[in-house]
Amino acid sequence: MERVTGIGGVFLKAKDAPALAAWYEKHLGVPFAKGLYVDYISPNPDQPDVPVHTVFSFFKQESDYFSPSASPFMINFRVKDLHGLLAELRKEGVWVAEKTQDEGYGKFGWIMDPEGNKIELWEPAAE
């Protein structure tokens, strides 16, 4: 079974997300504009007509989106078969969140690594 195919995003908790986004924009040129995320779009060597998205985003410090992890960051990995991979990971004894989410832009599931870091798995929707 194919597992991770790339990084879908990196998410950080921030005490003052707008100020931190402004700092990254000013000093590193990260083009946040008016949002708290930036979507880097790259060519997809496997499907030239479907671009690859990699998001860098800030969450409010009090966000519970990373729960049950206490880590201030979360990595999102792209996968091709979310439900198949989650089933394999359960068999391997990996903590897998019971719920998954299906949005217009893809399916999401969550796992935890042995150090308690939540990892988001994303199967992008076919475009």
Side-chain angles (χ1 to χ4, degrees), residues 112-123:
M112 294 268 273
D113 74 15
E115 294 196 3
N117 299 304
K118 190 174 181 183
I119 298 166
E120 186 169 65
L121 302 175
W122 170 45
E123 180 184 334

Side-chain angles (χ1 to χ4, degrees), residues 9-18 20-21 23-24 28 30 32 36-38 55-66 70-76 117-118 120:
V10 176
F11 309 110
L12 304 174
K13 284 188 177 182
K15 294 175 188 165
D16 185 343
L20 193 55
W23 186 92
Y24 273 78
L28 298 176
V30 177
F32 283 99
L36 295 178
Y37 75 96
V38 60
V55 174
F56 178 56
S57 180
F58 295 113
F59 281 71
K60 293 179 180 178
Q61 186 73 35
E62 60 274 7
S63 172
D64 64 355
Y65 192 72
F66 300 4
S71 295
F73 68 89
M74 184 174 67
I75 298 174
N76 167 299
N117 299 304
K118 190 174 181 183
E120 186 169 65

Side-chain angles (χ1 to χ4, degrees), residues 53-93:
H53 295 267
T54 305
V55 174
F56 178 56
S57 180
F58 295 113
F59 281 71
K60 293 179 180 178
Q61 186 73 35
E62 60 274 7
S63 172
D64 64 355
Y65 192 72
F66 300 4
S67 293
S69 175
S71 295
F73 68 89
M74 184 174 67
I75 298 174
N76 167 299
F77 288 109
R78 285 188 303 274
V79 300
K80 288 190 177 178
D81 176 7
L82 176 68
H83 293 292
L85 179 54
L86 292 177
E88 285 295 315
L89 293 171
R90 279 187 184 97
K91 288 180 197 173
E92 295 169 3

